[in-house]
Structure formats: C-alpha cells, structure tokens
Amino acid sequence: MLNALCRTRRLARFVLIGALAMGLTLLSRTHAQPAPDKQTVLITGANRGIGFEFAKEYHAAGWNVIATARKPAEAVDLKALGEGVRTVQLDVTSAESVAALKDTLHDQPIDLLINNAGVGVGLTGGPLLEELKIDEFEQVMRVNLVGPMRVTQALLPSLRLGKCKKIVNISSGLGSIGWNGQGGFYGYRESKAGLDMFSRTLAAELKPEGFVCIALIPGWVKTEMGGPNAQLTPEESVTAMRKVIDGLKVGDSGKFWSYDGTSVPW
Ligand SMILES: NC(=O)c1ccc[n+]([C@@H]2O[C@H](COP(=O)([O-])OP(=O)(O)OC[C@H]3O[C@@H](n4cnc5c(N)ncnc54)[C@H](OP(=O)(O)O)[C@@H]3O)[C@@H](O)[C@H]2O)c1
C-alpha cells in the first residue's frame, strides 16, 4: 500500500517536471528572439495579396518576417511558410491592437516596416460625390492613412534599433494629384494622397537619424483589391518593389515612386 503511494507520488512528480519543462520550452518559443544576424521586416496585412507576397519573398531571401493579420488563425498560407515567419494579430484601426503588437515585440529591432494593409472604397461604386457613403470614407481613412501613422508611431523605438531604418508606405497611383485627370474613386484617392504626405513629412523628421521613408506604388496587381484583370501578378509587383527597397539610400527619402523605381508626380 505504502509502496503504491510512493510510486504514485514519484509518477506525479515526474509528470509535473515534464509539464514544467514543456511549458518552459513553449514559453521560450513564444518569445523566441529572431536570429541576430538576420534582418527583420514587419509587414501589415500580410495574410493575402501583396502583403503575403512580401512575406513569402522576404522569408525566401532569409529575413526574419513579422507578418501581421487581422485574423491570424485564418492565415493558413502564412503559417505554411514555416519557421522564420512570425504571425501577429493586428488591426491597424484599433489602438488596443497596435499597443498589443508593440508589447509583443518588446522593442525588438525592426529593419524595415512595410505599411501595406489597405482597403478600397469607391472602387466599384459610382464616380460621383453624391454616391460616396461618408461612413465608408471615414473607414478607409482610418485604415489607409491613420492606420500606417498609428503603426509607425508605435514601432518607432523598434525601428530606431534596426540597422536598415527603412519605412515603406504602400500607396497608389490613384493617390497622385498630378495623375488625377479622371476624378472618381473618392475616399481611396484622399486616403493615399494623405499617406503620401505622411511619408514625406516623416522622411523630413527622420532623415537626420538615417531613415529612408518612401511612398511606393505597387502597380495594378491581381489581388482581391486589384481584381483578375490587373496587369501584374503579385510576384511581378513585389519582386520589382523589393529591388527598389533593397537599393534605397538616405538621399531617396521622401520620394514617391512606382514599383519599377520610376518617379511619380505628387
Ligand atoms: N492590388 C492593386 O492593384 C493595388 C494598387 C495600388 C495600391 N494597392 C495597395 O496595396 C496594398 C495591398 O493591397 P492588395 O491588393 O494586396 O489588397 P488585398 O488583397 O485586398 O489585401 C489587403 C490586406 O489588408 C488587410 N487589411 C484590411 N483592413 C485592415 C485593417 N483594418 N487592419 C489590418 N489589416 C487590414 C487585409 O486583411 P483581411 O484579410 O483581414 O481583410 C489584407 O491582408 C493596399 O494598401 C492597397 O491600397 C493595391
């Protein structure tokens, strides 16, 4: 009887130590620091479209990738990329979500931030101001303009610790005032024009610290937003944009470029 009790206690101790060890391993994995020799990129809206292609290509190029998704549990393509890609929840319109992202990162160095998450409005509706739904307009401004500003503000400590110091805001040709001869696309145009101004203002502020901040147009790309008739595949667009990003120098800060590195009128 006494022997059986001792055996049960030994077994319980064994199970407890095993569980503790497993817990510690899981904990260390959750807070695993990326390999220090690798560069780190954070991409918003990386579960699909252009953002996913960025995550895939930077991962293939050997970077640590922090890929954000509004619903990480559903980001199956991102998860399939495997080790080296960390998926983190982020809704760029939510102050709580952005604060949680900042906490999760513990001010770890980020070399490159790609503010990619975005939504369209007026892309399928009519071209007239009377047809614009103002609540939709406010939402697109929150995602496409306030979102990148909020995310960048929160991640500045991490970006200051990074070596590359690059911030890329994914804009649109529809945000160019110079190119706007046709009108329409109310809401989307204003949000991207605002994002371009943010890029330029941030570039001026952070230039003395060696940052490069640009607004970059991906071209018309076959994604949920771009539709099936778009000119470029995500791969064609992102491969070209990565070339531009790789080649950025401090003197390029504050520029507004297309995916192929050509200059775009504000
Ligand atoms: N495709 C084009 O032809 C084209 C042209 C010019 C510019 N762009 C720009 O390129 C960027 C990527 O577009 P895309 O074509 O890849 O579009 P997409 O396929 O529609 O993907 C948009 C991404 O943004 C995310 N997102 C939307 N709202 C968000 C929020 N509140 N918080 C966080 N993430 C959010 C989406 O997440 P969910 O899956 O959770 O919705 C998704 O991951 C956008 O900024 C877009 O304006 C695209």
Side-chain angles (χ1 to χ4, degrees), residues 119-122 131-141 187:
V119 287
V121 69
E131 291 163 321
L132 175 71
K133 296 188 174 109
I134 293 296
D135 55 342
E136 282 183 9
F137 172 78
E138 285 175 347
Q139 178 60 8
V140 83
M141 293 299 271

Side-chain angles (χ1 to χ4, degrees), residues 164-176:
C164 296
K165 295 189 169 51
K166 292 177 183 175
I167 299 169
V168 175
N169 293 321
I170 300 300
S171 185
S172 167
L174 291 171
S176 163

Side-chain angles (χ1 to χ4, degrees), residues 138-258:
E138 285 175 347
Q139 178 60 8
V140 83
M141 293 299 271
R142 270 194 290 272
V143 179
N144 293 0
L145 173 58
V146 184
M149 294 182 76
R150 201 196 293 276
V151 170
T152 309
Q153 184 186 53
L155 298 187
L156 262 183
S158 283
L159 289 159
R160 287 194 163 110
L161 294 174
K163 289 196 190 98
C164 296
K165 295 189 169 51
K166 292 177 183 175
I167 299 169
V168 175
N169 293 321
I170 300 300
S171 185
S172 167
L174 291 171
S176 163
I177 294 170
W179 276 356
N180 186 3
Q182 309 79 29
F185 304 105
Y186 280 108
Y188 189 73
R189 282 191 190 279
E190 287 79 9
S191 70
K192 292 297 187 181
L195 181 69
D196 298 341
M197 179 58 94
F198 167 55
S199 308
R200 182 82 169 197
T201 308
L202 191 66
E205 179 186 334
L206 297 180
K207 205 166 186 172
E209 295 181 51
F211 274 88
V212 188
C213 314
I214 63 159
L216 189 57
I217 297 175
W220 186 21
V221 189
K222 289 182 178 66
T223 60
E224 270 185 45
M225 188 187 289
N229 299 325
Q231 288 163 340
L232 302 168
T233 63
E235 191 179 345
E236 287 167 334
S237 165
V238 169
T239 303
M241 285 195 282
R242 281 187 50 235
K243 205 169 151 198
V244 170
I245 296 168
D246 283 354
L248 286 176
K249 295 174 193 65
V250 177
D252 299 325
S253 203
K255 298 279 170 64
F256 182 24
W257 277 342
S258 191

Side-chain angles (χ1 to χ4, degrees), residues 97-118:
S97 178
V98 174
L101 170 74
K102 183 179 161 63
D103 283 353
T104 307
L105 295 178
H106 298 297
D107 287 346
Q108 89 174 57
I110 294 172
D111 295 283
L112 166 63
L113 167 64
I114 303 180
N115 281 310
N116 165 77

Side-chain angles (χ1 to χ4, degrees), residues 22-43:
M22 200 184 290
L24 281 174
T25 312
L26 281 177
L27 204 65
S28 71
R29 264 191 214 153
T30 317
H31 294 289
Q33 288 302 308
D37 52 322
K38 288 184 168 187
Q39 300 185 96
T40 299
V41 56
L42 189 144
I43 305 149

